[in-house]
């Protein structure tokens, strides 16, 4: 156990649709998540992001909480539909002004802004034209990025182009679990390529307006073979190819991994890849952000590929049940998975600085009689995973920072408000913010950075 270096960044993270609310205010247009959440049956209890944590109006209070907590940085996302209501055309100055105030508010509190340009809230008008299945959306994303970067420039300390392209593409366009809820085996792969292209085009746009570091945030699936058989490892390799290297190989190596092309050949001919695309995608970047929550245990076995699978083309890979203990999401709690992820990713891409852009847990929080949330389970989760960072650093992983997901309880996508990930409890009736015990622990940890 030790103390983290002074230049190691600790923060907290949120995302626009999950906390802002004000869905129809100041020129914001509808996003695919507005449409999806208002579609009966798509989101738990019919929850929507219409109000969420009302962060759009309470942002100063929330920044004060961050300052009082003692974070170095804050990761948030910018809602494209606030900047361009239909995803293209003249920027909405009121939207730019909101994020300009937010960034200035962070800087005034000596907190470094890390801005994610796309955390899934695609303007619905672009979806109506095909969304991420439509190549042109990548170019619209670059235009949007240029507008935002020209406004915020180096007031933003770090830029992340896209949050979790796998979720946006596969859950949005292959199995339909997320917005826009489309179901097509090939769709998620086409959307993946266009998101990779959008990333590359956005990097170029950012470089033209800002000197700040640029990267992308991925939900790298931490697959772990359940036994040491060659077959189990081969199954992990196939899942890695379709779930992980599908993004990092074109972005960091300017190619699609041969195993990715081999496994997906039964689903797509990759006709969406045009000459020059991989050069556009493979722009030099400064960091990779990893969102880690849990490992996934894999064994080999006869498991034919079935249409609708979130792993297009993968066969003979069996997903084993989660291992205890689990979070309120039913996800295995295993900090060694985080160390393994960071070490393994560094071995494959040694040139990349790494950040843990999200890590945290939904827990069955209860408001106790004394009016507090004694979430010892969340505190234990955070302690274990922050300690796991040290194990990665001890193996010379160029890990530069850690962001807890999430600052606030918020709209957990298809789970609505039924899952609470926050350090801060949000009473959705009153919008009152309440520091959970885990927030008090994180504040104390940040005061001496010793675990
Ligand atoms: C994600 C998203 C977050 C989620 C969080 C908990 O990683 O899926 O970035 O928006 O809310 O991860 O699932």
């Amino acid at each position: 156990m030790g103390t983290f270096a002074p230049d190691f960044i600790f923060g907290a993270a949120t995302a626009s649709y999950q906390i802002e609310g004000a869905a129809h205010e100041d020129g914001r247009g509808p996003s695919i998540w507005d449409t999806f959440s208002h579609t009966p049956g798509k989101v738990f209890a019919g929850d929507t992001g219409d109000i969420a944590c009302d962060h759009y109006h309470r942002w100063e209070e929330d920044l004060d909480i961050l300052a009082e907590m003692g974070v170095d940085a804050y990761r948030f996302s910018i809602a494209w539909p606030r900047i361009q209501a239909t995803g293209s055309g003249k920027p909405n100055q009121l939207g730019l002004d909101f994020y300009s105030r937010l960034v200035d508010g962070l800087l005034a509190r000596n907190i470094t802004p890390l801005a994610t340009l796309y955390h899934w809230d695609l303007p619905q008008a672009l979806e109506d034209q095909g969304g991420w299945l439509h190549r042109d959306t990548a170019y619209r994303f670059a235009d949007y990025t240029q507008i935002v970067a020209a406004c915020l420039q180096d007031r933003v300390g770090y830029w992340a182009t896209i949050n979790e392209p796998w979720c946006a593409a596969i859950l949005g366009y292959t199995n339909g679990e997320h917005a826009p809820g489309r179901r097509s085996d090939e769709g998620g792969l086409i959307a993946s390529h266009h998101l990779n292209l959008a990333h590359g085009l956005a990097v170029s746009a950012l470089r033209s307006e800002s000197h700040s570091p640029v990267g992308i945030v991925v939900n790298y699936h931490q697959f772990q073979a359940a036994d040491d058989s060659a077959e189990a490892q081969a199954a992990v390799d196939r899942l890695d190819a379709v779930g992980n290297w599908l993004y990092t190989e074109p972005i960091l190596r300017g190619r699609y991994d041969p195993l990715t092309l081999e496994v997906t050949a039964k689903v797509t001919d990759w006709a969406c890849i045009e000459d020059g695309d991989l050069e556009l995608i493979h722009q030099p970047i400064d960091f990779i952000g990893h969102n880690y929550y849990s490992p996934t245990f894999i064994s080999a076995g006869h498991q034919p590929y079935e249409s609708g699978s979130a792993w297009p083309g993968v066969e003979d890979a069996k997903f084993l049940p989660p291992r205890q203990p689990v979070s309120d999401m039913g996800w295995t709690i295993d900090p060694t998975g985080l160390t393994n992820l960071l070490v393994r990713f560094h071995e494959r891409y040694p040139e990349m600085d790494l950040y843990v852009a999200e890590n945290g847990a939904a827990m069955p929080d209860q408001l106790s009689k004394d009016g507090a949330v004694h979430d010892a389970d969340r505190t234990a989760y955070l302690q274990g995973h922050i300690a796991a960072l040290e194990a990665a650093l001890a193996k010379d992983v160029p890990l530069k920072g850690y962001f807890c997901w999430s600052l606030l309880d918020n709209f957990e996508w298809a789970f609505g408000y039924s899952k609470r990930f926050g350090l801060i409890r949000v009473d959705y009736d009153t919008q009152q913010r309440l520091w959970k015990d885990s927030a008090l622990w994180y504040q104390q940890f940040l005061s001496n950075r010793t675990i």
Side-chain angles (χ1 to χ4, degrees):
M1 303 299 212
T3 300
F4 287 83
D7 62 351
F8 189 95
I9 292 169
F10 282 101
T14 63
S16 44
Y17 190 75
Q18 295 182 270
I19 68 167
E20 287 181 359
H24 308 289
E25 202 156 324
D26 288 346
R28 179 184 182 277
S31 76
I32 56 175
W33 269 97
D34 296 276
T35 306
F36 193 74
S37 63
H38 281 268
T39 305
K42 297 297 185 186
V43 175
F44 176 85
D47 288 343
T48 76
D50 288 357
I51 299 171
C53 306
D54 194 32
H55 175 75
Y56 189 77
H57 300 110
R58 298 167 188 269
W59 63 273
E60 290 175 291
E61 175 187 358
D62 294 334
L63 297 198
D64 287 341
I65 290 171
L66 285 163
E68 192 181 339
M69 197 173 280
V71 300
D72 303 310
Y74 171 54
R75 178 180 173 231
F76 63 99
S77 78
I78 292 167
W80 189 349
R82 288 198 192 283
I83 309 302
Q84 295 175 301
T86 59
S88 62
K90 191 173 169 306
N92 169 29
Q93 192 56 46
L94 292 174
L96 288 171
D97 291 348
F98 171 70
Y99 294 107
S100 194
R101 285 195 301 274
L102 184 73
V103 164
D104 287 343
L106 287 163
L107 295 173
R109 293 165 175 83
N110 199 23
I111 298 170
T112 302
L114 188 159
T116 303
L117 285 150
Y118 185 70
H119 203 124
W120 307 354
D121 36 9
L122 181 73
Q124 181 59 45
L126 293 181
E127 182 59 33
D128 294 344
Q129 298 163 39
W132 289 110
L133 299 180
H134 188 37
R135 180 185 179 83
D136 187 60
T137 302
Y139 290 86
R140 299 292 67 76
F141 181 68
D143 294 347
Y144 149 67
T145 298
Q146 186 88 35
I147 291 166
V148 172
C151 171
L152 302 179
Q153 296 191 317
D154 292 354
R155 286 184 285 162
V156 166
Y158 300 84
W159 294 100
T161 54
I162 291 165
N163 177 77
E164 301 193 356
W166 182 86
C167 285
I170 300 297
L171 302 186
Y173 292 87
T174 282
N175 71 10
E177 271 180 41
H178 278 190
R182 296 198 197 199
R183 294 172 187 273
S184 151
D185 297 336
E186 186 181 29
L189 297 173
I190 295 169
S192 294
H193 179 66
H194 291 154
L195 279 157
N196 286 335
L197 181 59
H199 160 80
L201 295 170
V203 170
S204 300
L206 288 165
R207 295 300 193 200
S208 71
E209 297 290 350
S210 171
H211 303 95
S212 298
V214 175
I216 186 171
V217 174
V218 294
N219 57 310
Y220 178 93
H221 304 276
Q222 178 50 28
F223 297 120
Q224 297 186 183
D227 58 60
D228 56 8
S229 68
E231 292 76 13
Q233 186 53 53
V236 166
D237 292 346
R238 288 192 293 276
L239 288 166
D240 271 339
V242 172
N244 292 322
W245 314 144
L246 175 57
Y247 308 99
T248 53
E249 279 299 291
I251 289 168
L252 298 177
R253 294 290 180 267
R255 65 161 202 167
Y256 281 102
D257 188 292
L259 186 55
T260 301
L261 300 175
E262 177 192 325
V263 171
T264 58
K266 59 174 76 68
V267 178
T268 183
D269 61 5
W270 289 105
C272 61
I273 301 173
E274 296 190 7
D275 289 348
D277 281 0
L278 286 163
E279 288 73 24
L280 290 171
I281 296 169
H282 183 212
Q283 299 296 322
I285 58 173
D286 305 295
F287 68 87
I288 294 286
H290 284 289
N291 294 348
Y292 171 83
Y293 294 91
S294 177
T296 305
F297 299 98
I298 303 297
S299 69
H302 182 56
Q303 189 79 39
Y305 166 64
E306 286 177 16
S307 174
S309 162
W311 317 97
V314 173
E315 297 190 303
D316 304 333
K318 286 195 166 181
F319 285 71
L320 300 182
R323 294 178 182 173
Q324 295 297 329
V326 296
S327 71
D328 199 33
M329 294 294 283
W331 298 346
T332 300
I333 297 175
D334 181 353
T336 64
L338 178 53
T339 306
N340 295 342
L341 179 164
L342 294 168
V343 170
R344 200 159 159 256
F345 194 89
H346 173 57
E347 285 167 356
R348 187 174 178 112
Y349 303 109
E351 78 280 10
M352 272 293 116
D353 281 353
L354 306 181
Y355 291 80
V356 175
E358 288 179 23
N359 175 249
M363 292 297 185
D365 293 348
Q366 296 299 323
L367 201 51
S368 67
K369 290 193 179 62
D370 63 4
V373 176
H374 298 304
D375 55 335
D377 44 12
R378 183 176 288 103
T379 298
Y381 180 99
L382 297 178
Q383 286 173 315
H385 286 79
I386 290 174
L389 304 177
E390 281 200 305
L393 288 165
K395 296 189 176 183
D396 298 327
V397 172
L399 179 65
K400 305 296 182 186
Y402 170 92
F403 292 80
C404 175
W405 183 271
S406 178
L407 171 67
L408 303 170
D409 291 338
N410 60 57
F411 177 81
E412 178 51 31
W413 308 114
F415 290 90
Y417 298 102
S418 67
K419 301 298 179 185
R420 292 179 177 269
F421 275 88
L423 291 163
I424 302 296
R425 184 182 190 279
V426 175
D427 179 325
Y428 295 112
D429 296 326
T430 66
Q431 290 298 345
Q432 184 191 8
R433 274 76 164 138
L434 173 70
W435 288 58
K436 300 177 190 175
D437 287 2
S438 59
L440 297 170
W441 174 82
Y442 196 45
Q443 179 187 45
Q444 184 278 329
F445 165 73
L446 292 175
S447 70
N448 63 20
R449 309 158 73 86
T450 300
I451 192 80

